[in-house]
Amino acid sequence: MEAQNGAGGGAPVVLNVYDLTPMNNYLYWFGLGVFHSGIEVHGMEYGFGAHEFPTSGVFEVEPKSCPGFIYRRSVWMGTTDLSRAEFRSFIENLAGKYNGNTYHLISKNCNHFTDDVCKNLTRKSIPGWVNRLARVGSFFNCLLPEGIQVSTVRHVPTHPAFSDDDMDSVSSSVIGDSDLEELDQHLLPSTADVHSIDVPPKLAKDLL
């Protein structure tokens, strides 16, 4: 892992990066590649994935174990003074900005989400190489295949990876429609989906 423990205390904030294609083994050394990323805080990893419904696409999994992707490396981003409960409130509030049906490979992907989390928690952006494809694509979108230009990547993990208590909270508060049950096993509720949750004042201003 490209990191060392923080000297100032607090909970570590770690970016976990995954390969989306075996071609990354070659592209990576040229500063290129197609990557998924998740942000690890308080022992769980949080990511953003696509589905076709207007509800949160933010999910949680065990660190470095996101289904469907190949773990590559971790990058130390810093620490946060938020407690576990404060962070949970923060991430559920942020999830309201990241509905699954708004995911887009170029303009609003998993790396935009982790960058948003990092900026809020550590005041740092994720490394540029992690989301370089999106930045290049925003300028040269006409050169990308049509399917990438107009569609989203539909990938949300589909089996539970957290505690029964967390599962009860998610299943009772996210979506009641049976069509969504297989999609929301990892999904976090957002304050927009359910009810208002207080956010620590030091972060509330960053979410406006």
Side-chain angles (χ1 to χ4, degrees):
M1 183 169 72
E2 179 192 282
Q4 56 278 343
N5 292 329
V13 178
V14 178
L15 184 75
N16 294 326
V17 183
Y18 300 79
D19 290 328
L20 270 68
T21 170
M23 284 296 293
N24 280 2
N25 290 329
Y26 305 98
L27 297 174
Y28 176 77
W29 302 109
F30 296 96
L32 301 172
V34 187
F35 302 101
H36 166 78
S37 66
I39 197 73
E40 180 182 345
V41 186
H42 285 297
M44 291 298 293
E45 180 177 314
Y46 300 84
F48 172 50
H51 56 70
E52 59 189 31
F53 306 100
T55 53
S56 171
V58 176
F59 59 89
E60 62 180 355
V61 294
E62 293 292 335
K64 306 178 183 67
S65 304
C66 189
F69 303 118
I70 302 172
Y71 171 74
R72 172 171 284 276
R73 62 185 293 192
S74 296
V75 181
W76 176 272
M77 298 303 301
T79 62
T80 177
D81 292 330
L82 294 185
S83 67
R84 188 180 300 273
E86 288 174 330
F87 175 75
R88 185 72 178 194
S89 293
F90 158 71
I91 202 71
E92 289 184 2
N93 193 52
L94 187 65
K97 295 171 57 179
Y98 289 90
N99 286 347
N101 66 342
T102 66
Y103 185 106
H104 192 278
L105 181 63
I106 300 301
S107 61
K108 192 175 185 179
N109 63 37
C110 55
N111 302 318
H112 292 109
F113 168 75
T114 55
D115 188 57
D116 201 353
V117 176
C118 284
K119 286 178 178 177
N120 275 283
L121 297 183
T122 70
R123 309 301 177 189
K124 296 178 182 178
S125 297
I126 64 174
W129 56 267
V130 176
N131 206 28
R132 186 160 290 145
L133 173 68
R135 294 202 308 276
V136 171
S138 67
F139 288 102
F140 301 103
N141 195 38
C142 61
L143 300 179
L144 295 174
E146 182 179 357
I148 292 179
Q149 292 182 39
V150 300
S151 66
T152 63
V153 177
R154 284 179 167 76
H155 180 93
V156 173
T158 55
H159 60 272
F162 46 94
S163 70
D164 291 339
D165 289 341
D166 286 335
M167 179 60 72
D168 290 341
S169 172
V170 173
S171 61
S172 65
S173 59
V174 182
I175 311 168
D177 193 321
S178 59
D179 291 339
L180 304 187
E181 289 179 0
E182 64 177 344
L183 290 176
D184 69 4
Q185 290 178 333
H186 282 263
L187 296 178
L188 297 185
S190 73
T191 54
D193 295 336
V194 283
H195 52 77
S196 176
I197 298 177
D198 291 334
V199 178
K202 57 188 169 183
L203 285 172
K205 65 179 183 298
D206 297 317
L207 299 175
L208 299 178

PDB file of all heavy atoms in Angstrom, residues 93-112:
ATOM      1  N   ASN A  93     -25.874  10.996   3.974  1.00  0.00           N
ATOM      2  CA  ASN A  93     -26.286  12.283   3.421  1.00  0.00           C
ATOM      3  C   ASN A  93     -25.702  12.486   2.023  1.00  0.00           C
ATOM      4  O   ASN A  93     -26.394  12.906   1.087  1.00  0.00           O
ATOM      5  CB  ASN A  93     -25.839  13.408   4.353  1.00  0.00           C
ATOM      6  CG  ASN A  93     -26.493  14.743   4.031  1.00  0.00           C
ATOM      7  OD1 ASN A  93     -27.714  14.824   3.938  1.00  0.00           O
ATOM      8  ND2 ASN A  93     -25.686  15.767   3.872  1.00  0.00           N
ATOM      9  N   LEU A  94     -24.421  12.153   1.870  1.00  0.00           N
ATOM     10  CA  LEU A  94     -23.775  12.284   0.565  1.00  0.00           C
ATOM     11  C   LEU A  94     -24.404  11.357  -0.466  1.00  0.00           C
ATOM     12  O   LEU A  94     -24.469  11.683  -1.660  1.00  0.00           O
ATOM     13  CB  LEU A  94     -22.278  11.992   0.697  1.00  0.00           C
ATOM     14  CG  LEU A  94     -21.419  12.241  -0.543  1.00  0.00           C
ATOM     15  CD1 LEU A  94     -21.401  13.728  -0.901  1.00  0.00           C
ATOM     16  CD2 LEU A  94     -19.997  11.736  -0.323  1.00  0.00           C
ATOM     17  N   ALA A  95     -24.873  10.201  -0.019  1.00  0.00           N
ATOM     18  CA  ALA A  95     -25.471   9.226  -0.939  1.00  0.00           C
ATOM     19  C   ALA A  95     -26.663   9.799  -1.687  1.00  0.00           C
ATOM     20  O   ALA A  95     -26.993   9.343  -2.787  1.00  0.00           O
ATOM     21  CB  ALA A  95     -25.887   7.972  -0.163  1.00  0.00           C
ATOM     22  N   GLY A  96     -27.304  10.823  -1.109  1.00  0.00           N
ATOM     23  CA  GLY A  96     -28.428  11.447  -1.786  1.00  0.00           C
ATOM     24  C   GLY A  96     -28.042  12.155  -3.069  1.00  0.00           C
ATOM     25  O   GLY A  96     -28.896  12.433  -3.919  1.00  0.00           O
ATOM     26  N   LYS A  97     -26.747  12.459  -3.246  1.00  0.00           N
ATOM     27  CA  LYS A  97     -26.259  13.094  -4.467  1.00  0.00           C
ATOM     28  C   LYS A  97     -25.866  12.068  -5.530  1.00  0.00           C
ATOM     29  O   LYS A  97     -25.528  12.452  -6.658  1.00  0.00           O
ATOM     30  CB  LYS A  97     -25.034  13.965  -4.144  1.00  0.00           C
ATOM     31  CG  LYS A  97     -25.307  15.144  -3.238  1.00  0.00           C
ATOM     32  CD  LYS A  97     -24.019  15.814  -2.787  1.00  0.00           C
ATOM     33  CE  LYS A  97     -23.144  16.273  -3.940  1.00  0.00           C
ATOM     34  NZ  LYS A  97     -21.897  16.955  -3.459  1.00  0.00           N
ATOM     35  N   TYR A  98     -25.875  10.793  -5.168  1.00  0.00           N
ATOM     36  CA  TYR A  98     -25.361   9.754  -6.058  1.00  0.00           C
ATOM     37  C   TYR A  98     -26.390   8.641  -6.243  1.00  0.00           C
ATOM     38  O   TYR A  98     -26.216   7.523  -5.770  1.00  0.00           O
ATOM     39  CB  TYR A  98     -24.046   9.199  -5.504  1.00  0.00           C
ATOM     40  CG  TYR A  98     -22.903  10.174  -5.606  1.00  0.00           C
ATOM     41  CD1 TYR A  98     -22.620  11.074  -4.584  1.00  0.00           C
ATOM     42  CD2 TYR A  98     -22.116  10.235  -6.758  1.00  0.00           C
ATOM     43  CE1 TYR A  98     -21.585  11.994  -4.690  1.00  0.00           C
ATOM     44  CE2 TYR A  98     -21.081  11.146  -6.877  1.00  0.00           C
ATOM     45  CZ  TYR A  98     -20.821  12.020  -5.830  1.00  0.00           C
ATOM     46  OH  TYR A  98     -19.791  12.931  -5.951  1.00  0.00           O
ATOM     47  N   ASN A  99     -27.471   8.959  -6.941  1.00  0.00           N
ATOM     48  CA  ASN A  99     -28.462   7.946  -7.275  1.00  0.00           C
ATOM     49  C   ASN A  99     -27.920   7.017  -8.356  1.00  0.00           C
ATOM     50  O   ASN A  99     -27.165   7.434  -9.237  1.00  0.00           O
ATOM     51  CB  ASN A  99     -29.758   8.580  -7.760  1.00  0.00           C
ATOM     52  CG  ASN A  99     -30.559   9.201  -6.635  1.00  0.00           C
ATOM     53  OD1 ASN A  99     -30.280   8.954  -5.459  1.00  0.00           O
ATOM     54  ND2 ASN A  99     -31.545  10.011  -6.976  1.00  0.00           N
ATOM     55  N   GLY A 100     -28.339   5.761  -8.297  1.00  0.00           N
ATOM     56  CA  GLY A 100     -27.822   4.782  -9.243  1.00  0.00           C
ATOM     57  C   GLY A 100     -28.117   5.116 -10.691  1.00  0.00           C
ATOM     58  O   GLY A 100     -27.314   4.810 -11.578  1.00  0.00           O
ATOM     59  N   ASN A 101     -29.268   5.746 -10.941  1.00  0.00           N
ATOM     60  CA  ASN A 101     -29.625   6.050 -12.330  1.00  0.00           C
ATOM     61  C   ASN A 101     -28.946   7.309 -12.863  1.00  0.00           C
ATOM     62  O   ASN A 101     -29.184   7.701 -14.002  1.00  0.00           O
ATOM     63  CB  ASN A 101     -31.144   6.157 -12.481  1.00  0.00           C
ATOM     64  CG  ASN A 101     -31.727   7.341 -11.721  1.00  0.00           C
ATOM     65  OD1 ASN A 101     -31.084   7.899 -10.826  1.00  0.00           O
ATOM     66  ND2 ASN A 101     -32.956   7.705 -12.053  1.00  0.00           N
ATOM     67  N   THR A 102     -28.102   7.944 -12.046  1.00  0.00           N
ATOM     68  CA  THR A 102     -27.347   9.111 -12.533  1.00  0.00           C
ATOM     69  C   THR A 102     -25.897   8.760 -12.858  1.00  0.00           C
ATOM     70  O   THR A 102     -25.139   9.625 -13.306  1.00  0.00           O
ATOM     71  CB  THR A 102     -27.355  10.251 -11.488  1.00  0.00           C
ATOM     72  OG1 THR A 102     -26.626   9.851 -10.315  1.00  0.00           O
ATOM     73  CG2 THR A 102     -28.782  10.628 -11.103  1.00  0.00           C
ATOM     74  N   TYR A 103     -25.516   7.500 -12.633  1.00  0.00           N
ATOM     75  CA  TYR A 103     -24.142   7.073 -12.909  1.00  0.00           C
ATOM     76  C   TYR A 103     -23.838   7.212 -14.402  1.00  0.00           C
ATOM     77  O   TYR A 103     -24.632   6.832 -15.259  1.00  0.00           O
ATOM     78  CB  TYR A 103     -23.963   5.622 -12.474  1.00  0.00           C
ATOM     79  CG  TYR A 103     -22.541   5.099 -12.595  1.00  0.00           C
ATOM     80  CD1 TYR A 103     -21.761   4.912 -11.460  1.00  0.00           C
ATOM     81  CD2 TYR A 103     -21.985   4.772 -13.832  1.00  0.00           C
ATOM     82  CE1 TYR A 103     -20.463   4.423 -11.556  1.00  0.00           C
ATOM     83  CE2 TYR A 103     -20.699   4.295 -13.945  1.00  0.00           C
ATOM     84  CZ  TYR A 103     -19.939   4.122 -12.796  1.00  0.00           C
ATOM     85  OH  TYR A 103     -18.653   3.648 -12.901  1.00  0.00           O
ATOM     86  N   HIS A 104     -22.673   7.748 -14.723  1.00  0.00           N
ATOM     87  CA  HIS A 104     -22.204   7.814 -16.108  1.00  0.00           C
ATOM     88  C   HIS A 104     -20.696   7.627 -16.112  1.00  0.00           C
ATOM     89  O   HIS A 104     -19.989   8.228 -15.298  1.00  0.00           O
ATOM     90  CB  HIS A 104     -22.577   9.151 -16.743  1.00  0.00           C
ATOM     91  CG  HIS A 104     -22.374   9.182 -18.229  1.00  0.00           C
ATOM     92  ND1 HIS A 104     -21.149   9.422 -18.810  1.00  0.00           N
ATOM     93  CD2 HIS A 104     -23.247   8.979 -19.247  1.00  0.00           C
ATOM     94  CE1 HIS A 104     -21.273   9.375 -20.127  1.00  0.00           C
ATOM     95  NE2 HIS A 104     -22.523   9.107 -20.422  1.00  0.00           N
ATOM     96  N   LEU A 105     -20.216   6.813 -17.020  1.00  0.00           N
ATOM     97  CA  LEU A 105     -18.807   6.452 -17.047  1.00  0.00           C
ATOM     98  C   LEU A 105     -17.889   7.665 -17.145  1.00  0.00           C
ATOM     99  O   LEU A 105     -16.810   7.692 -16.542  1.00  0.00           O
ATOM    100  CB  LEU A 105     -18.534   5.506 -18.218  1.00  0.00           C
ATOM    101  CG  LEU A 105     -17.095   5.009 -18.372  1.00  0.00           C
ATOM    102  CD1 LEU A 105     -16.689   4.173 -17.167  1.00  0.00           C
ATOM    103  CD2 LEU A 105     -16.936   4.206 -19.649  1.00  0.00           C
ATOM    104  N   ILE A 106     -18.321   8.694 -17.867  1.00  0.00           N
ATOM    105  CA  ILE A 106     -17.472   9.853 -18.101  1.00  0.00           C
ATOM    106  C   ILE A 106     -17.742  10.981 -17.106  1.00  0.00           C
ATOM    107  O   ILE A 106     -16.815  11.577 -16.563  1.00  0.00           O
ATOM    108  CB  ILE A 106     -17.649  10.386 -19.540  1.00  0.00           C
ATOM    109  CG1 ILE A 106     -17.283   9.293 -20.554  1.00  0.00           C
ATOM    110  CG2 ILE A 106     -16.815  11.632 -19.766  1.00  0.00           C
ATOM    111  CD1 ILE A 106     -15.865   8.773 -20.430  1.00  0.00           C
ATOM    112  N   SER A 107     -18.999  11.284 -16.844  1.00  0.00           N
ATOM    113  CA  SER A 107     -19.327  12.495 -16.100  1.00  0.00           C
ATOM    114  C   SER A 107     -19.637  12.283 -14.622  1.00  0.00           C
ATOM    115  O   SER A 107     -19.545  13.234 -13.830  1.00  0.00           O
ATOM    116  CB  SER A 107     -20.526  13.194 -16.762  1.00  0.00           C
ATOM    117  OG  SER A 107     -21.667  12.347 -16.761  1.00  0.00           O
ATOM    118  N   LYS A 108     -19.988  11.069 -14.214  1.00  0.00           N
ATOM    119  CA  LYS A 108     -20.342  10.836 -12.798  1.00  0.00           C
ATOM    120  C   LYS A 108     -20.148   9.362 -12.484  1.00  0.00           C
ATOM    121  O   LYS A 108     -21.092   8.586 -12.447  1.00  0.00           O
ATOM    122  CB  LYS A 108     -21.783  11.263 -12.526  1.00  0.00           C
ATOM    123  CG  LYS A 108     -22.139  11.336 -11.045  1.00  0.00           C
ATOM    124  CD  LYS A 108     -23.538  11.889 -10.850  1.00  0.00           C
ATOM    125  CE  LYS A 108     -23.858  12.072  -9.379  1.00  0.00           C
ATOM    126  NZ  LYS A 108     -25.229  12.632  -9.175  1.00  0.00           N
ATOM    127  N   ASN A 109     -18.911   8.983 -12.221  1.00  0.00           N
ATOM    128  CA  ASN A 109     -18.625   7.575 -11.993  1.00  0.00           C
ATOM    129  C   ASN A 109     -18.158   7.319 -10.560  1.00  0.00           C
ATOM    130  O   ASN A 109     -18.177   8.210  -9.712  1.00  0.00           O
ATOM    131  CB  ASN A 109     -17.603   7.065 -13.020  1.00  0.00           C
ATOM    132  CG  ASN A 109     -16.254   7.769 -12.916  1.00  0.00           C
ATOM    133  OD1 ASN A 109     -15.773   8.097 -11.828  1.00  0.00           O
ATOM    134  ND2 ASN A 109     -15.612   8.003 -14.061  1.00  0.00           N
ATOM    135  N   CYS A 110     -17.733   6.097 -10.302  1.00  0.00           N
ATOM    136  CA  CYS A 110     -17.310   5.709  -8.960  1.00  0.00           C
ATOM    137  C   CYS A 110     -16.140   6.551  -8.456  1.00  0.00           C
ATOM    138  O   CYS A 110     -16.036   6.830  -7.243  1.00  0.00           O
ATOM    139  CB  CYS A 110     -16.924   4.232  -8.939  1.00  0.00           C
ATOM    140  SG  CYS A 110     -15.652   3.796 -10.163  1.00  0.00           S
ATOM    141  N   ASN A 111     -15.264   6.973  -9.362  1.00  0.00           N
ATOM    142  CA  ASN A 111     -14.102   7.764  -8.959  1.00  0.00           C
ATOM    143  C   ASN A 111     -14.473   9.205  -8.615  1.00  0.00           C
ATOM    144  O   ASN A 111     -13.815   9.828  -7.781  1.00  0.00           O
ATOM    145  CB  ASN A 111     -13.050   7.733 -10.064  1.00  0.00           C
ATOM    146  CG  ASN A 111     -12.613   6.323 -10.393  1.00  0.00           C
ATOM    147  OD1 ASN A 111     -12.417   5.505  -9.510  1.00  0.00           O
ATOM    148  ND2 ASN A 111     -12.495   6.016 -11.678  1.00  0.00           N
ATOM    149  N   HIS A 112     -15.509   9.736  -9.255  1.00  0.00           N
ATOM    150  CA  HIS A 112     -16.015  11.050  -8.847  1.00  0.00           C
ATOM    151  C   HIS A 112     -16.548  10.972  -7.412  1.00  0.00           C
ATOM    152  O   HIS A 112     -16.361  11.904  -6.621  1.00  0.00           O
ATOM    153  CB  HIS A 112     -17.133  11.519  -9.791  1.00  0.00           C
ATOM    154  CG  HIS A 112     -16.670  11.834 -11.180  1.00  0.00           C
ATOM    155  ND1 HIS A 112     -16.977  11.045 -12.259  1.00  0.00           N
ATOM    156  CD2 HIS A 112     -15.903  12.857 -11.658  1.00  0.00           C
ATOM    157  CE1 HIS A 112     -16.447  11.577 -13.355  1.00  0.00           C
ATOM    158  NE2 HIS A 112     -15.779  12.666 -13.014  1.00  0.00           N
TER     159      HIS A 112
END
